[in-house]
Amino acid sequence: MEKIKLILCDIDNTLVPKHQNLSERAVQAIHQLKKSEILFGLASGRSISQLHRLETSWNIRCDVIIGLNGSELYDGLDDFSEQLYFMEPAWIKACFEIMAPFDCNPTLRRDGISYVRNYDKNVAASSAYIKNDHQVHIVKDDAEFWQGPAFKVGFRVKAEDMPAIEKRAAKFPSQAFKGFKTENTMFEFCNAEASKGSMLKRFCSRHDIDLRQVCCFGDMTNDISMLQAAGIGVCMLNGSEDAKAAADFISEKAADEDGWADYVEKHILNR
């Protein structure tokens, strides 16, 4: 096995159970990685600004942050940020047409404002988790969602509808955008060029890091690109079947059992 130089980790239901704080055990594992000269980063569907807030509240420092499922990158080694992949208004409208048959609550962030169809418990929980760093706007008409470009659009759905949603989305392939499951109750669309894996490759290329020396952790479909790009891809025990199939290893414990910290302690720090 190659010497690990970088660990990149999804957040919700990977590093932490959804909308929960980082455990003290995980914090100590991250600090120990840094002492061992192993870089650490986060890869999430949230924006870089939101992830910087979590980074501060958790008392950790990231060497790389991939935001919005691979639409933006923060290079902590050079203190440099870049935003690359937007969704055009027409693409966003097309996503609503794909999702039209399903009962869902769409959400989209633009210029610091989160647009939603309904202010429900999921919107409230997400807002509280990221310390209310944005304004929530309830739309009067869905056309407000595609009044301008945005990085991504998500749809909170019923878990029992997800197989039908994935099947329907597959019937509308596009060279401009793509859709994927990010939770059992969340389906998102973003620019076809955006992915956690492509941003990982971009960061590693900038710093001459061999991808074989990278270990990535994830749990859902949107994590597959980085699990496959890394030399070691680890899917959480609680992960989706497609993510497990793409991974090299599966954690012994789930996210709500501190499975990430457990894996890192056993297989990386104690190697």
Side-chain angles (χ1 to χ4, degrees):
M1 183 182 293
E2 296 279 345
K3 174 180 171 57
I4 300 300
K5 287 188 175 181
L6 167 65
I7 287 181
L8 185 64
C9 192
D10 174 55
I11 297 179
D12 287 323
N13 297 319
T14 298
L15 186 62
V16 299
K18 184 174 174 58
H19 291 159
Q20 293 191 27
N21 286 320
L22 197 61
S23 71
E24 183 58 31
R25 182 181 179 186
V27 171
Q28 291 305 314
I30 293 170
H31 290 171
Q32 190 59 46
L33 288 172
K34 303 301 279 293
K35 289 180 181 178
S36 301
E37 299 184 342
I38 298 175
L39 303 176
F40 176 79
L42 298 173
S44 172
R46 295 188 179 84
S47 68
I48 285 177
S49 63
Q50 293 170 337
L51 296 176
H52 277 317
R53 284 176 173 264
L54 290 180
E55 184 184 26
T56 300
S57 67
W58 289 345
N59 189 31
I60 62 172
R61 181 186 175 280
C62 295
D63 300 292
V64 55
I65 297 176
I66 296 172
L68 299 171
N69 288 319
S71 292
E72 57 180 4
L73 173 69
Y74 170 70
D75 184 332
L77 299 182
D78 290 338
D79 192 23
F80 170 77
S81 294
E82 54 184 342
Q83 297 177 323
L84 297 176
Y85 305 116
F86 285 90
M87 289 277 284
E88 296 292 343
W91 306 349
I92 297 171
K93 183 178 181 181
C95 294
F96 275 76
E97 293 169 354
I98 293 172
M99 297 297 294
F102 304 102
D103 180 18
C104 57
N105 188 20
T107 178
L108 174 151
R109 181 168 173 161
R110 180 187 297 118
D111 299 329
I113 299 174
S114 287
Y115 293 78
V116 299
R117 187 182 285 164
N118 302 300
Y119 190 87
D120 58 18
K121 63 180 182 180
N122 292 301
V123 174
S126 179
S127 180
Y129 185 62
I130 56 176
K131 314 303 181 196
N132 297 302
D133 78 328
H134 62 293
Q135 175 186 346
V136 176
H137 171 71
I138 302 173
V139 303
K140 294 181 180 179
D141 185 279
D142 278 354
E144 292 184 55
F145 285 106
W146 54 82
Q147 65 183 357
F151 282 110
K152 66 172 187 173
V153 56
F155 295 82
R156 180 67 61 183
V157 302
K158 297 177 180 178
E160 57 266 30
D161 288 340
M162 186 59 77
I165 290 170
E166 292 182 294
K167 185 176 181 179
R168 178 171 168 80
K171 292 181 178 179
F172 295 89
S174 169
Q175 293 184 337
F177 62 87
K178 59 185 176 182
F180 42 77
K181 176 176 63 177
T182 59
E183 299 174 25
N184 290 329
T185 58
M186 176 63 80
F187 197 82
E188 297 185 2
F189 295 88
C190 70
N191 188 303
E193 298 294 323
S195 75
K196 293 181 179 181
S198 63
M199 282 299 194
L200 167 63
K201 293 176 182 178
R202 190 177 183 88
F203 174 79
C204 289
S205 178
R206 285 172 58 91
H207 296 286
D208 197 26
I209 297 172
D210 191 327
L211 286 166
R212 292 176 296 179
Q213 296 179 298
V214 177
C215 179
C216 287
F217 292 81
D219 73 301
M220 276 289 160
T221 305
N222 63 318
D223 299 317
I224 289 176
S225 64
M226 68 175 184
L227 295 178
Q228 293 178 329
I232 301 174
V234 183
C235 182
M236 303 306 293
L237 183 62
N238 51 274
S240 62
E241 292 305 313
D242 56 349
K244 287 179 178 178
D248 300 297
F249 301 100
I250 298 173
S251 67
E252 292 91 344
K253 295 183 179 181
D256 60 5
E257 301 173 293
D258 233 345
W260 177 83
D262 180 78
Y263 191 96
V264 168
E265 290 168 355
K266 290 178 179 177
H267 301 287
I268 297 176
L269 292 175
N270 291 332
R271 278 179 51 190

